[in-house]
Amino acid sequence: MKKTKLLFDNNKEFEMNIFEGTEGEQAIDISQLRQNTGLITLDEGYQNTGSCKSAISFVDGENGILRYRGIPIQELAENSTFVETSYLLIYGYLPTQKELKTFSNMLTENSLIHEEMIHFFDGIPPHAHPMAILSSMVNALSIYYPTLYSEAFFSITFDLVCARLLSKIRTLAAYSYKNSIGEPFVYPRHDLKYTENLLHMMFNSPVKPYTLDPEIVQALRVSLILHADHEQNCSTATVRLVGSSQVNLYTSICAGICALWGPLHGGANQQVVEMLEKIRDEGLTIKEVIENAKSKDNNFVLYGFGHRVYKNYDPRAKILKQLVEKLFNKLNIEEPLVEIAMELEHAALNDDYFAERNLYPNVDYYSGILYKAIGIPKEMFTVMFAIGRLPGWIAHWKEMHDTIPFKIGRPRQIYTGATLSHYIPIEQRG
Ligand code: CMC
């Protein structure tokens, strides 16, 4: 084990281990630092803090690389299905034919939600954001399918809880959409595959039957795979932190969905399309938008650009851009937003501000446009991200629980408030 030393002014020193990951990344282990020196580390926004060791996905931000369990996402996008990729992430290896069949069957058997749970939707106003509905409904699964934390240690229970969640999230997402447009719910079909079933439940209607288009199914399949995991981002770290209190899986995932909703995280996909629509509708020039994004006098950022880890083109954005071009050509769709997006991307990539800060398109830049072409409304974009990210969240929850014993997540802080002061009775406060 490599070591490093911290030297203090009084010549005292503290030795720390350096942990090295399988891809050569190194981290100083500071877990004993306070005990030995009285110091903690301060890293607001966790810009330089590793919160765990994980074997699920590998991101090399400098070189634009993303792999799930060692496999490049390009290969999975090309050859795998979302269900198979989910298995890979959660269980750590590509399943055999038999294992995949058992897993798929479990998803099919668990696709319905409890009939009584459907009444939850009765009280939800049609304008409610689907991410608010989804997070609430996923948490509500713990009411209908109670699972004690300890049960999850028995693999059969974990497998069942995992299959329930993966399958039911799709049904809940589709029902949220149907609820928002006031249409009757469409039940899942046992003969349809994961992505097809999602489209069927979202778009089929008793008066307007929906025909599944293989190009659309394929585009959605790839998009779900590309979103399936991304190491310790805001929502995944949330799932681990909440799960570390030993609360059940549904509730931990609910917390992840809430974290994902924000516009700086998964909510950026909706923001991107709204930004492009604003450019189109208000006739803004690309130059104006770029100048606005660069200005420090407002809160506006170029949504879909920049990333904490990628200092290069996000490999997911690269694939999604190609997918958008392919799908629009195949379906012969004229969409001015695509042209605006490409013009904006070109302008940003050729601007010194973006170049100096290594700001490139991220996964959210083209995903919204892709969803729009599929017919998915804007409010549902982040829901699609959540469905895609679910296997990653589950995998991280499982990985943490498989490490026995694991520690509750509990960061420290540096207090900056008032020093000791005393209570003043109200009549003496003036
Ligand atoms: N537009 C304009 N300026 C930006 C942008 C942007 N999209 N992103 C970063 N910057 C600037 C930022 O103002 C800062 O400038 P300065 O050095 O002058 O202070 C510099 O670039 C470094 O950025 P940062 O804020 O330190 O970066 P961060 O790692 O804290 O934030 C981010 C990462 C993704 C929140 C940020 O890039 C951002 O707000 N992007 C737009 C929202 C977005 O697309 N989010 C989706 C992220 S990817 C998928 C996901 O996680 O869901």
Side-chain angles (χ1 to χ4, degrees):
M1 175 82 72
K2 275 201 226 165
K3 306 220 181 247
T4 188
K5 275 181 189 161
L6 200 60
L7 285 173
F8 294 90
D9 288 348
N10 58 4
N11 276 342
K12 278 199 169 170
E13 49 185 47
F14 172 60
E15 197 175 62
M16 294 167 291
N17 289 333
I18 294 185
F19 181 82
E20 185 163 325
T22 48
E23 290 286 349
E25 282 185 311
Q26 300 191 354
I28 301 171
D29 181 352
I30 50 105
S31 56
Q32 302 302 312
L33 185 65
R34 186 171 181 279
Q35 234 163 295
N36 290 284
T37 68
L39 294 172
I40 65 164
T41 55
L42 182 64
D43 179 22
E44 287 179 45
Y46 308 116
Q47 298 189 69
N48 200 42
T49 295
S51 60
C52 62
K53 294 170 193 153
S54 178
I56 301 169
S57 59
F58 170 68
V59 180
D60 177 344
E62 275 69 37
N63 295 305
I65 290 172
L66 171 60
R67 299 182 199 135
Y68 299 159
R69 302 284 186 185
I71 305 177
I73 45 149
Q74 291 81 357
E75 287 178 31
L76 292 165
E78 183 88 27
N79 304 303
S80 186
T81 64
F82 180 60
V83 172
E84 185 184 54
T85 296
S86 300
Y87 192 104
L88 168 73
L89 285 167
I90 295 166
Y91 294 102
Y93 61 93
L94 284 169
T96 62
Q97 284 183 28
K98 191 168 164 236
E99 284 167 331
L100 186 58
K101 194 161 187 336
T102 309
F103 188 56
S104 300
N105 287 346
M106 274 183 93
L107 296 189
T108 305
E109 285 159 16
N110 285 284
S111 58
L112 287 169
I113 58 168
H114 199 293
E115 278 295 300
E116 276 183 18
M117 201 178 155
I118 290 174
H119 297 303
F120 265 59
F121 286 93
D122 294 345
I124 293 175
H127 60 262
H129 197 286
M131 282 298 275
I133 307 177
L134 189 72
S135 54
S136 311
M137 292 294 175
V138 165
N139 202 19
L141 288 174
S142 53
I143 304 173
Y144 285 92
Y145 306 93
T147 306
L148 291 174
Y149 157 78
S150 54
E151 277 182 59
F153 275 115
F154 299 103
S155 59
I156 185 69
T157 312
F158 173 80
D159 292 348
L160 182 61
V161 175
C162 164
R164 271 190 200 139
L165 245 177
L166 275 174
S167 195
K168 288 185 205 307
I169 197 171
R170 191 181 43 161
T171 316
L172 290 171
Y175 284 13
S176 306
Y177 172 57
K178 286 294 193 190
N179 189 66
S180 72
I181 56 170
E183 281 192 9
F185 299 142
V186 174
Y187 283 74
R189 270 176 40 190
H190 68 90
D191 58 322
L192 291 181
K193 293 197 157 86
Y194 193 95
T195 314
E196 294 166 344
N197 229 340
L198 174 59
L199 291 165
H200 156 73
M201 285 191 279
M202 279 184 73
F203 297 126
N204 228 334
S205 116
V207 288
K208 202 166 170 225
Y210 179 73
T211 312
L212 286 162
D213 180 321
E215 298 294 339
I216 286 179
V217 173
Q218 161 78 349
L220 188 55
R221 176 190 67 79
V222 172
S223 172
L224 290 177
I225 291 174
L226 295 180
H227 285 86
D229 193 47
H230 210 249
E231 55 138 274
Q232 304 311 312
N233 51 80
C234 180
S235 58
T236 305
T238 298
V239 169
R240 286 184 92 121
L241 185 65
V242 172
S244 76
S245 73
Q246 299 197 352
V247 74
N248 67 70
L249 178 62
Y250 306 116
T251 302
S252 309
I253 299 293
C254 161
I257 296 173
C258 294
L260 185 75
W261 189 4
L264 294 188
H265 191 10
N269 54 14
Q270 182 177 342
Q271 299 292 329
V272 169
V273 167
E274 284 174 357
M275 174 179 78
L276 298 174
E277 286 173 345
K278 196 168 149 83
I279 297 173
R280 179 197 62 194
D281 299 342
E282 296 182 12
L284 301 174
T285 64
I286 297 295
K287 195 165 180 288
E288 277 174 314
V289 180
I290 295 280
E291 289 310 315
N292 237 335
K294 285 158 52 172
S295 166
K296 302 292 177 196
D297 299 333
N298 61 43
N299 282 333
F300 178 73
V301 288
L302 199 57
Y303 285 102
F305 257 75
H307 198 276
R308 174 63 61 78
V309 180
Y310 289 121
K311 300 302 165 202
N312 202 326
Y313 215 109
D314 180 337
R316 304 165 298 174
K318 226 178 238 176
I319 301 175
L320 283 169
K321 184 180 180 182
Q322 288 162 0
L323 209 56
V324 162
E325 287 170 331
K326 198 172 143 207
L327 190 69
F328 278 73
N329 275 340
K330 282 253 166 78
L331 301 182
N332 242 335
I333 309 174
E334 295 272 321
E335 176 53 86
L337 294 188
V338 179
E339 266 168 52
I340 298 174
M342 290 193 180
E343 243 185 276
L344 192 55
E345 180 193 337
H346 181 76
L349 292 178
N350 287 288
D351 188 289
D352 286 348
Y353 172 96
F354 289 86
E356 281 157 15
R357 290 167 178 78
N358 294 313
L359 303 172
Y360 291 87
N362 60 50
V363 70
D364 294 314
Y365 196 68
Y366 284 105
S367 63
I369 298 176
L370 184 78
Y371 297 145
K372 198 167 184 291
I374 292 174
I376 296 169
K378 274 183 297 190
E379 292 71 25
M380 288 292 289
F381 290 176
T382 315
V383 168
M384 293 298 136
F385 193 150
I387 298 173
R389 181 55 53 87
L390 182 60
W393 288 332
I394 297 176
H396 283 272
W397 192 93
K398 181 176 187 299
E399 182 179 68
M400 183 177 69
H401 285 79
D402 285 347
T403 313
I404 300 174
F406 63 85
K407 284 209 170 291
I408 188 167
R410 204 295 187 187
R412 287 187 177 262
Q413 64 159 27
I414 295 293
Y415 176 68
T416 59
T419 50
L420 179 68
S421 56
H422 295 286
Y423 180 77
I424 304 168
I426 194 159
E427 57 277 10
Q428 292 175 21
R429 286 181 223 159

